[in-house]
Amino acid sequence: MASAAEQMAANMSWGAFGKATELRQRILFTIGLLCVYRLGTFIPVPGIDGTALRDFMEGAAAGLGGILSMFTGGALGRMGIFALGIMPYISASIIIQLLASTWEPLKQLKKEGEQGRRKINQYTRYFTVILSAFQAYGLAASLEAGDLVSDPGLFFRASCVITLVGGTMFLMWLGEQITSRGIGNGISLIIFVGIIAEIPAALAQFFASGRSGAISPAVIIGVILMVAVILTFVVFMERSLRKVHIQYPRRQVGMKVYDGGSSHLPIKVNPAGVIPAIFASALLLLPTTISTFSGGDTGPVMSTILAYFGPGQPLYLLFFTVMIVFFTYFYTREVAFKTDDVADNLKRQNGFIPGIRPGKRTAEYLDYVVTRILVLGSAYLALVALLPEILRSQLAIPFYFGGTSVLIVVSVGMDTIQQVQSHLLAHQYEGLIEKSQLRGRRSGTAKPKRGPARR
């Protein structure tokens, strides 16, 4: 049976949306910053040979170059100022979070609450600058080695590094502004918009290949059906829950005795969302971003990496699977669902799981439940991420099509819609509270009736 909040969310209309002025301002603010991001992808880095770069990216569109271009919203294919995208920040976040769970000084910072979290975020920003500077310099050197620069030299490398690092830091700032003052998660929305913006061109290229006879009509229909099935499957799994029964005892407040109630603790089958797939993709792209642009001048080590860790290769798929499973467990336990914190909150609220003692036993039980759930959740993420990779390599689709993109589009879209509904619910509750206060004031200001005078 649907709850009152769910019924209210289902009855929302455009009229309620029009009255929520704060939500409308947040949405317009988010759209405005995302438009700024899209404009930046078309501003080129100085000194790039546009014709040579275009020819190179056309040849690499179905391989690693397509992956990189998809995650940067096409900025890498055009060598725009946002060519590094938000990936250096994601890579820095991965490393800092790993250190925060293993290195004692950062462990202590995590225990300091909000102040410690701010310090960790500051360290992540600093490390993002260092990481993006290394990647930008390597990318500038690789562009020169691949004859994709009109005027190579020290000036080009310096200007390229400054431009790309500044673009990444500006994107990081945009993401933080969207998260705090807009709607949705800013970093995820930047990746989401980049993927969505590349879909029309990829579809046009796909159907053009079908008209030319390079791809059979059966393959086109099969790919469309596969995308529809994967989207349905992702939506179903993202909404799947494991409900843990919670009981609240009787309690006495003053002279009143309140009956005990029952509720449930919802645990998602995939508590980590799309973060494990993004983290795994970032690690796969980190060592190979530079080698993509180095043309035929790659050394033996990079040649081996490209040969064995290219999209569709067995080692690539194996490493991708291992990283998805690892980050699913790691992110869930460290960030998304901390069993010790949940057990402490239940204990403070006098709630308990029937048959389980509050405190440590509850944390152990929740840890057991989450571990079993994540077996299914990590397998689902790995299947969705790898199935399109395998089919794309077998069917020779001439553009990049990955399960990570599908996961990002569906997960970020659902999360943003839920946040919009939450804001609408809060606005409706505020309206109800204001109406009740106004009625109370009117009834309070009414003149009391006088009784008959006593003699």
Side-chain angles (χ1 to χ4, degrees):
M1 188 173 179
S3 63
E6 290 175 345
Q7 291 177 357
M8 186 178 290
N11 294 330
M12 287 177 185
S13 61
W14 285 105
F17 177 78
K19 294 177 182 177
T21 55
E22 181 186 356
L23 175 61
R24 190 166 63 250
Q25 291 173 357
R26 283 178 171 270
I27 293 176
L28 292 176
F29 179 80
T30 302
I31 293 174
L33 291 191
L34 291 177
C35 289
V36 172
Y37 159 64
R38 287 305 302 163
L39 287 175
T41 61
F42 291 91
I43 302 175
V45 174
I48 300 295
D49 188 347
T51 304
L53 180 66
R54 195 179 306 110
D55 295 339
F56 174 80
M57 290 305 299
E58 286 178 358
L64 192 61
I67 304 175
L68 297 171
S69 185
M70 178 71 77
F71 275 103
T72 58
L76 188 63
R78 295 181 289 269
M79 206 56 208
I81 60 174
F82 297 149
L84 291 181
I86 204 68
M87 282 303 169
Y89 177 72
I90 294 175
S91 302
S93 300
I94 296 171
I95 296 172
I96 294 298
Q97 287 186 16
L98 286 172
L99 289 176
S101 62
T102 56
W103 194 33
E104 194 60 32
L106 288 181
K107 276 186 176 181
Q108 295 300 323
L109 276 180
K110 287 180 65 177
K111 296 177 181 179
E112 293 181 4
E114 182 65 22
Q115 185 177 2
R117 188 182 64 83
R118 289 180 180 177
K119 288 184 179 179
I120 291 176
N121 289 339
Q122 196 68 23
Y123 294 154
T124 304
R125 296 188 188 100
Y126 292 151
F127 193 63
T128 301
V129 175
I130 298 172
L131 193 60
S132 58
F134 275 107
Q135 289 190 18
Y137 181 81
L139 186 56
S142 301
L143 287 168
E144 289 183 351
D147 294 329
L148 302 177
V149 180
S150 57
D151 188 16
L154 182 61
F155 178 77
F156 166 75
R157 294 190 181 187
S159 62
C160 184
V161 169
I162 293 173
T163 303
L164 293 180
V165 172
T168 297
M169 300 310 295
F170 182 71
L171 276 186
M172 185 178 68
W173 179 81
L174 279 184
E176 292 176 351
Q177 292 299 311
I178 291 173
T179 302
S180 61
R181 301 173 58 187
I183 196 80
N185 184 281
I187 303 298
S188 300
L189 277 175
I190 287 174
I191 302 175
F192 170 84
V193 170
I195 294 173
I196 291 295
E198 292 296 299
I199 288 178
L203 287 177
Q205 183 183 0
F206 183 50
F207 290 127
S209 301
R211 286 195 299 268
S212 63
I215 300 178
S216 65
V219 172
I220 294 176
I221 296 174
V223 169
I224 294 174
L225 291 177
M226 182 188 68
V227 171
V229 171
I230 291 177
L231 287 174
T232 306
F233 179 62
V234 170
V235 172
F236 173 77
M237 292 300 293
E238 289 296 325
R239 294 180 64 88
S240 300
L241 299 172
R242 164 72 159 88
K243 296 181 179 180
V244 178
H245 185 69
I246 304 296
Q247 190 73 33
Y248 293 94
R250 276 188 172 187
R251 56 193 178 95
Q252 183 174 353
V253 180
M255 298 297 293
K256 292 183 179 181
V257 177
Y258 295 91
D259 292 334
S262 63
S263 180
H264 65 268
L265 176 66
I267 304 176
K268 295 182 66 175
V269 173
N270 177 30
V274 74
I275 297 298
I278 296 178
F279 280 7
S281 300
L283 284 184
L284 278 175
L285 298 179
L286 184 61
T288 50
T289 301
I290 308 304
S291 62
T292 304
F293 288 90
S294 57
D297 297 333
T298 53
V301 177
M302 277 301 177
S303 299
T304 304
I305 290 176
L306 289 176
Y308 289 100
F309 282 89
Q313 299 298 324
L315 282 180
Y316 174 91
L317 300 177
L318 177 62
F319 183 75
F320 203 10
T321 304
V322 171
M323 286 295 99
I324 286 177
V325 173
F326 169 75
F327 282 120
T328 301
Y329 278 87
F330 171 78
Y331 192 82
T332 300
R333 294 181 183 280
E334 295 295 329
V335 180
F337 193 88
K338 295 183 179 180
T339 54
D340 292 336
D341 294 347
V342 174
D344 290 340
N345 291 333
L346 287 176
K347 188 176 181 180
R348 284 196 293 267
Q349 297 170 3
N350 293 324
F352 64 93
I353 301 173
I356 307 295
R357 287 185 177 181
K360 184 179 179 181
R361 294 293 183 185
T362 300
E364 292 175 353
Y365 175 78
L366 291 176
D367 187 72
Y368 170 73
V369 172
V370 170
T371 301
R372 294 180 64 187
I373 290 175
L374 289 183
V375 174
L376 179 60
S378 59
Y380 140 71
L381 280 179
L383 176 64
V384 173
L386 295 181
L387 182 60
E389 297 278 354
I390 297 173
L391 294 179
R392 186 181 58 82
S393 61
Q394 295 297 323
L395 299 176
I397 298 176
F399 63 89
Y400 175 71
F401 168 70
T404 306
S405 304
V406 177
L407 284 170
I408 293 172
V409 170
V410 175
S411 299
V412 176
M414 290 177 61
D415 180 64
T416 306
I417 291 173
Q418 287 178 357
Q419 289 200 25
V420 170
Q421 289 182 343
S422 299
H423 280 280
L424 285 175
L425 280 173
H427 180 265
Q428 289 194 2
Y429 281 130
E430 288 175 0
L432 291 175
I433 292 172
E434 289 178 358
K435 288 180 180 179
S436 63
Q437 290 176 348
L438 288 174
R439 289 172 183 171
R441 289 175 184 175
R442 289 172 183 172
S443 61
T445 56
K447 293 182 179 180
K449 296 181 179 180
R450 294 182 178 180
R454 294 181 180 179
R455 294 182 179 179

